[in-house]
Amino acid sequence: MLQKLLEYCQCVIYILVMLQMPRDLEKKRWPLRLLLIIVMMLMLHCVDMTQLASCCRDGGDVEQAIHLCRRSIERLQANMPTSSVRLSAALNDLGLCYYEKGMWREALSTLQQALTLQRESLPSVHPAIATTLYNIGSVYEESGDVMKAVALYTECLEIRQQTTLIHLDTASVLMRLGTIALKQQQYVESKNLLLRSRD
């Protein structure tokens, strides 16, 4: 119970910083905001470390995001197999953190673990699988293994074309493939892919 309370306090402090509480201190509104945050967290009765990790990563604090992702993964692994989808999402987030830090080996290993869990627990054409394939492809591309990146982007594109209604998801994969083709001086292929991304 004490550990849970300490985690709530840590999360409240982080959220207050994210909400720019110092500005509210002048206006004397911070007690109400703090109370609302605590009530909300008690109602949830758990802290979703993965969401906090995403906030940290988006805010540029990748080290804190990695720490929170690892804690989230530890909690979710204790509840396996009921939380395998959430665990794969947490692994995906951790992989993205490693990617942002340039830790290619760790990113690749973590993202492949996420993909394995997703393939075991989700339909074969699920958008989450496509996203993880895209992320793994990005790691391979950044680390210089363009052929593996192209294969993963292609598989991702096939899934997204079958399942997604969000045009930007498909367009981003086409743009990546077009850019790779351009770098390989495959100008006709590059042009076709980039034009398809605009449709």
Side-chain angles (χ1 to χ4, degrees), residues 4-189:
K4 184 75 92 178
L5 183 60
L6 289 173
E7 288 173 0
Y8 285 142
C9 291
Q10 179 184 6
C11 293
V12 167
I13 290 169
Y14 188 78
I15 290 170
L16 293 177
V17 170
M18 292 297 289
L19 295 174
Q20 299 175 353
M21 275 309 275
R23 181 176 42 120
D24 287 340
L25 287 174
E26 298 167 3
K27 298 177 185 172
K28 309 260 191 266
R29 284 189 256 157
W30 68 270
L32 178 61
R33 187 171 286 187
L34 177 61
L35 179 64
L36 289 173
I37 290 170
I38 292 171
V39 167
M40 179 180 72
M41 293 175 83
L42 289 173
M43 285 173 49
L44 293 173
H45 191 64
C46 69
V47 179
D48 190 344
M49 295 291 168
T50 306
Q51 289 178 346
L52 285 174
S54 294
C55 290
C56 290
R57 191 180 73 238
D58 294 344
D61 191 355
V62 180
E63 289 297 326
Q64 180 68 12
I66 289 172
H67 173 72
L68 290 170
C69 282
R70 286 178 180 159
R71 285 180 52 196
S72 177
I73 289 166
E74 288 170 7
R75 285 182 179 181
L76 292 168
Q77 285 174 332
N79 296 327
M80 285 292 288
T82 57
S83 60
S84 60
V85 173
R86 288 184 62 205
L87 178 58
S88 68
L91 286 165
N92 205 347
D93 286 343
L94 180 59
L96 290 175
C97 290
Y98 288 142
Y99 173 82
E100 287 187 23
K101 295 280 290 180
M103 301 166 70
W104 311 128
R105 189 175 308 144
E106 293 85 351
L108 192 56
S109 172
T110 306
L111 290 168
Q112 287 174 336
Q113 287 176 14
L115 184 62
T116 300
L117 276 174
Q118 289 170 339
R119 290 193 179 197
E120 291 171 358
S121 59
L122 297 171
S124 62
V125 292
H126 196 279
I129 293 174
T131 299
T132 303
L133 288 168
Y134 181 86
N135 293 340
I136 295 171
S138 297
V139 173
Y140 277 123
E141 183 180 358
E142 287 294 322
S143 63
D145 196 340
V146 177
M147 297 309 292
K148 286 185 180 176
V150 168
L152 289 160
Y153 289 150
T154 303
E155 187 178 352
C156 169
L157 182 62
E158 291 170 3
I159 293 172
R160 284 187 174 167
Q161 287 176 330
Q162 291 178 39
T163 61
T164 191
L165 299 175
I166 302 172
H167 174 69
L168 293 177
D169 286 344
T170 304
S172 66
V173 178
L174 289 168
M175 288 175 63
R176 276 280 174 96
L177 287 169
T179 303
I180 290 172
L182 183 64
K183 288 177 182 176
Q184 294 177 337
Q185 298 179 350
Q186 298 172 354
Y187 300 115
V188 175
E189 179 69 15

